[in-house]
Amino acid sequence: MFELQVLLVFMIIGALIAVKAKDLLSSVIAVGVVGLGLSLAFLILKAPDLAIAQLVVEILCVIILIRATIRKDLPFSTSGRWFFNTFITFLFMAVLLGFGYYCMRDLPQFGKPIMKVAQHFVNQGLRETGAANLVSSVVLDYRAYDTLGEATILFTAVLGVLAVMRKIGRKR
Amino acid sequence: MTVYFLCLVLFCIGLYCIVRKRNLIKIIIGIAIMEYSVNLFFILIGYKIGGRAPIHSSDQTILNMVDPLPQALVLTAIVIGLAVTALIAAIAIRVYEKYGTFDITKIRKLKG
Amino acid sequence: MKEQQKGMTIIVKTITRLTVGLILLFGIYIVANGHISPGGGFAGGVIIALSFIHIMLAFGKEDAFKKMNQGVASFFESIGAIIFITLANLGIAGGYFFLNFLSKGEPFKLFSSGLIPLYNIAISFKVGAGLFIIVVILMLFKITKEDEKK
């Protein structure tokens, strides 16, 4: 999987540019590039449903973030204990990476998953649900409660945006 | 194994962005990067070498497929991530209208 | 040219007029074929929402509200939720919640696999209308400077 590692290094470089850029608009566009790279990675990993969904969602996400970027100034000050705080942050990240590497040795090897539950879906899914797309049959038949919860969360997010943004009824 | 570690490095970049940056838009960008890396990690767990996409074909029988269960979980998580990003962006715009800045160290007043 | 410029330039408007129907048709295709090919209700709903957002970005908000205003979007979101919950509750008559009670039909055809295409259509209504409402609210908000005068 050499191409997957190249794509991941590309995504890491894009994320570093998004974090370090001085201009806010450049940084929003760089995060869009990271999302498109993620869509390509889904396509390499044999998940075409996720590739389509990630592509269209990323376009809408960039539109919303550009709307939120009203001013482009970026305050940068080294006041306070700047050096000490940065040192503590890097120390914490190093500890996290070390423990992560230690824990990942117990995961199954890359490319050999433990398909105990999914083996039933793969063998019997076409006969039991009649849908050729197994992801669709898992989302809407075997695990439909997830979709119900997702619809509830989306409705709550719309209500939250409406409550934050409304003008009428705000007393002064 | 190398792929897992690169995915963890991407997560750490998002974490650094959230902890050390002072601009609200940068914090939203950090949350988005962390969400991408978690979604990618789910799919990496379910990949099988030589596997096909989990879609049956009418003219041949496919037995070697990748795991369809993490893909179904991530499919809902992507749309939820978009809704959460929109909600945080709305709060950021409201904070800018109230205080006139995106800098989180200048936002001191709690009310009024 | 007495025509008042609302929105973007004439090139963007012409290209939008040509392509926005195709984008909407592609979204409907993705939703309808969600159970036999890649796609489904989530991706198709976002594509349908993007086609209306495309009109709003190119022509300004008045022309977009002639096609789809907030009342219609609110109606579609409610009708999506009602279809989803009603189909799920009908399964209780046969045994349990979310029972797929229609006949499975012949695989690899458009009308197959029972209730799954209907669920896809309900989810696409809900996702598309919800995201369209979010973007409309974010675009309509104007920043007022009345708080800085104090």
Side-chain angles (χ1 to χ4, degrees):
Chain A
M1 298 303 287
F2 180 68
E3 64 269 18
L4 188 61
Q5 294 172 9
V6 172
L7 202 55
L8 266 168
V9 171
F10 170 74
M11 283 169 62
I12 287 174
I13 293 173
L16 279 177
I17 292 174
V19 172
K20 280 297 177 187
K22 290 275 188 282
D23 192 9
L24 270 184
L25 206 56
S26 315
S27 142
V28 168
I29 291 169
V31 84
V33 168
V34 177
L36 295 183
L38 180 60
S39 168
L40 274 179
F42 282 157
L43 202 56
I44 289 176
L45 289 170
K46 303 290 190 300
D49 302 88
L50 296 178
I52 295 175
Q54 177 67 39
L55 181 65
V56 292
V57 160
E58 188 56 44
I59 295 168
L60 200 49
C61 185
V62 168
I63 290 175
I64 289 174
L65 281 180
I66 287 178
R67 175 63 182 89
T69 310
I70 304 166
R71 266 170 62 176
K72 295 193 293 183
D73 61 336
L74 198 61
F76 181 77
S77 68
T78 57
S79 65
R81 297 180 296 174
W82 186 83
F83 183 77
F84 179 70
N85 289 344
T86 311
F87 175 71
I88 290 292
T89 309
F90 275 112
L91 186 67
F92 177 69
M93 279 166 53
V95 170
L96 183 66
L97 280 177
F99 273 104
Y101 187 79
Y102 183 72
C103 293
M104 275 174 189
R105 292 185 307 177
D106 288 340
L107 282 178
Q109 195 74 26
F110 175 68
K112 300 181 182 60
I114 306 170
M115 293 171 63
K116 197 179 285 182
V117 179
Q119 201 62 48
H120 177 257
F121 294 158
V122 169
N123 289 334
Q124 308 288 329
L126 184 59
R127 191 179 56 80
E128 283 183 358
T129 66
N133 189 354
L134 280 180
V135 177
S136 179
S137 76
V138 172
V139 164
L140 293 173
D141 198 311
Y142 288 115
R143 296 184 66 93
Y145 283 102
D146 287 357
T147 309
L148 186 62
E150 187 269 346
T152 313
I153 291 176
L154 191 67
F155 184 66
T156 314
V158 173
L159 272 186
V161 172
L162 200 60
V164 168
M165 283 302 192
R166 74 193 168 129
K167 269 280 167 42
I168 311 163
R170 178 173 285 263
K171 288 183 181 169
R172 181 130 301 268
Chain B
M1 192 65 205
T2 316
V3 187
Y4 290 165
F5 192 73
L6 286 176
C7 192
L8 194 62
V9 169
L10 193 61
F11 183 84
C12 280
I13 292 172
L15 189 67
Y16 173 79
C17 188
I18 289 178
V19 173
R20 286 301 293 156
K21 291 296 174 181
R22 289 178 170 180
N23 199 307
L24 268 176
I25 303 294
K26 287 270 186 181
I27 291 176
I28 299 174
I29 285 171
I31 292 175
I33 290 173
M34 284 171 75
E35 179 201 322
Y36 293 159
S37 89
V38 172
N39 287 346
L40 181 59
F41 189 70
F42 266 83
I43 301 301
L44 285 177
I45 289 289
Y47 181 70
K48 181 190 253 184
I49 287 179
R52 303 275 301 266
I55 296 167
H56 284 290
S57 174
S58 59
D59 52 356
Q60 55 182 347
T61 59
I62 302 168
L63 292 179
N64 193 10
M65 280 183 181
V66 300
D67 199 346
L69 190 55
Q71 300 191 9
L73 296 181
V74 171
L75 187 59
T76 58
I78 288 174
V79 179
I80 290 174
L82 177 63
V84 170
T85 304
L87 183 58
I88 305 174
I91 293 176
I93 293 174
R94 198 49 136 164
V95 164
Y96 181 81
E97 190 225 12
K98 191 80 179 171
Y99 295 97
T101 178
F102 276 137
D103 194 351
I104 58 170
T105 57
K106 302 241 177 67
I107 301 169
R108 296 187 184 279
K109 290 185 293 185
L110 283 180
K111 185 173 183 295
Chain C
M1 280 298 187
K2 285 290 288 180
E3 203 172 295
Q4 189 60 36
Q5 287 295 323
K6 294 282 288 183
M8 296 194 181
T9 58
I10 187 74
I11 301 172
V12 179
K13 285 184 182 174
T14 309
I15 298 296
T16 303
R17 227 175 264 130
L18 289 178
T19 58
V20 73
L22 294 178
I23 296 175
L24 184 60
L25 191 64
F26 181 62
I28 293 172
Y29 167 78
I30 289 236
V31 172
N33 282 321
H35 55 292
I36 48 178
S37 67
F42 299 101
V46 182
I47 292 174
I48 291 173
L50 272 175
S51 70
F52 289 106
I53 292 167
H54 192 177
I55 296 178
M56 195 171 72
L57 289 179
F59 286 97
K61 54 179 179 292
E62 285 84 10
D63 280 341
F65 284 166
K66 283 179 205 161
K67 302 278 195 299
M68 164 84 85
N69 57 16
Q70 286 135 314
V72 181
S74 166
F75 170 75
F76 272 117
E77 171 147 12
S78 310
I79 210 76
I82 287 174
I83 290 174
F84 194 80
I85 288 295
T86 308
L87 286 178
N89 271 324
L90 282 180
I92 292 182
Y96 53 91
F97 206 52
F98 284 119
L99 175 66
N100 196 346
F101 58 86
L102 280 185
S103 84
K104 302 299 184 296
E106 187 182 356
F108 310 112
K109 290 290 191 300
L110 188 58
F111 294 102
S112 68
S113 72
L115 283 179
I116 291 180
L118 299 177
Y119 283 145
N120 264 332
I121 291 171
I123 288 171
S124 74
F125 278 169
K126 191 155 177 50
V127 171
L131 292 178
F132 181 72
I133 288 174
I134 285 179
V135 174
V136 162
I137 292 168
L138 286 180
M139 294 285 171
L140 285 185
F141 187 74
K142 294 270 195 308
I143 294 200
T144 57
K145 292 292 181 185
E146 58 174 351
D147 291 329
E148 292 185 354
K149 284 187 295 190
K150 293 189 293 190

